[in-house]
Amino acid sequence: MKSLLIFGVLLAVVQLSTQAEPKCWVGPPETISKLQWPDMDDECIMEVKKHIKRELEASVTYLAMAAHFFNSANFRPGVAKFVLKHASEERAHARALMDYILMRGYDISKDEIPTIKPLSTTWDGVFEALNTTLTIEKDVRDYFKKIIFVCEGGSDPEHKSVDYHVSDFLTGTFLDEQHQGVREISGMLTTLGRIIANTGNTAFAEFEFDRTLLEH
Ligand SMILES: *[C@@H]1O[C@H](CO)[C@@H](O)[C@H](O)[C@H]1NC(C)=O
C-alpha cells in the first residue's frame, strides 16, 4: 500500500515536470496569410483577368449602340432594347469573373479595372450594328475556349496546373449564354437580310424588323 502511494506521488511529479507551458490563447485569431490557400495558376488568373476587360468592352460597345439607336435620328427602339439587354449581360459576366477571382483567394486591385472604350461607335444601319455584335459575341466565345485551354494547363506539357473548376465555371455559367447569343444574332441577321432583299428598301426593312424586337 505504501509503495503504491510512493509510486503515485512519483508519477505525479514526473507528469508535472514534463508538462509544457500551459496554452491559453485568448487574443484575436491569427491572420491566415492569403498566400497559404489559393491554388490557381498565374497564367490562368491572368487570362481570367484579361477577360474581365473584354466583357466590359463588349458591354460598353452595346451601351453606345443602344444610345445610337435610341437617338431620334436613328430611332430603332427594338434594336436599342435588344443591345441594352446584352450590355447588362456582358457587364454581369465581368462582375462574375471578378467574384470568381476573389472566391479563389486572389485580389483584384483597383488599378486592374481598366479604362474602357467602345470597340466601335459608328454603324451604318441595323444590319451593320448587329453584325458587329455577332463578331463581338463570337470573339468572346472563342476567348472562353482559350481561357479554358490555358487553365487546363494547355501550355504545360505535364498539365501540372490543370484547373477543372475554372473550366466548369466558364462553361457552366457563360458558354451556354454565349452560344445562344451567337445563335440568336445570326438568326436575326438572316431575317433582316431577307426582309431587305425582298423589299429592296433598307429603311422599311429595318422598321419592320425593329417592330418584331419590340414585341418581346
Ligand atoms: C460582318 O462582320 C464581319 C467581321 O467584321 C465581316 O467580315 C463581314 O463582312 C460582315 N458582314 C457583312 C454582311 O457586313
Side-chain angles (χ1 to χ4, degrees), residues 33-147:
S33 160
K34 279 201 147 193
L35 293 172
Q36 280 173 14
W37 55 280
D39 63 342
M40 267 174 97
D41 179 63
D42 286 348
E43 267 186 75
C44 174
I45 301 171
M46 236 168 58
E47 282 303 322
V48 174
K49 283 186 177 176
K50 268 195 238 163
H51 205 67
I52 293 175
K53 179 171 185 230
R54 292 189 201 109
E55 294 281 4
L56 291 174
E57 267 171 356
S59 176
V60 165
T61 307
Y62 297 163
L63 203 60
M65 212 177 261
H68 176 82
F69 286 112
F70 274 132
N71 196 315
S72 55
N74 325 295
F75 195 53
R76 299 288 178 227
V79 174
K81 203 178 102 187
F82 176 79
V83 289
L84 209 50
K85 187 188 87 184
H86 274 273
S88 304
E89 216 171 88
E90 306 308 325
R91 187 179 171 281
H93 286 178
R95 171 70 207 274
L97 290 173
M98 258 178 73
D99 285 347
Y100 185 81
I101 297 270
L102 295 171
M103 178 185 80
R104 292 290 297 267
Y106 295 90
D107 289 327
I108 296 186
S109 102
K110 63 180 169 29
D111 305 323
E112 283 180 291
I113 303 300
T115 309
I116 304 294
K117 284 187 178 160
L119 296 163
S120 57
T121 48
T122 49
W123 307 279
D124 189 15
V126 172
F127 195 94
E128 195 187 307
L130 285 180
N131 193 36
T132 302
T133 66
L134 181 63
T135 306
I136 294 173
E137 293 291 304
K138 277 198 221 162
D139 283 350
V140 168
R141 178 196 64 187
D142 293 345
Y143 273 117
F144 275 129
K145 292 187 198 160
K146 185 178 175 213
I147 303 170

Side-chain angles (χ1 to χ4, degrees), residues 17-35:
S17 61
T18 54
Q19 247 179 18
E21 285 280 295
K23 275 202 169 175
C24 181
W25 174 251
V26 289
E30 287 173 68
T31 318
I32 297 169
S33 160
K34 279 201 147 193
L35 293 172

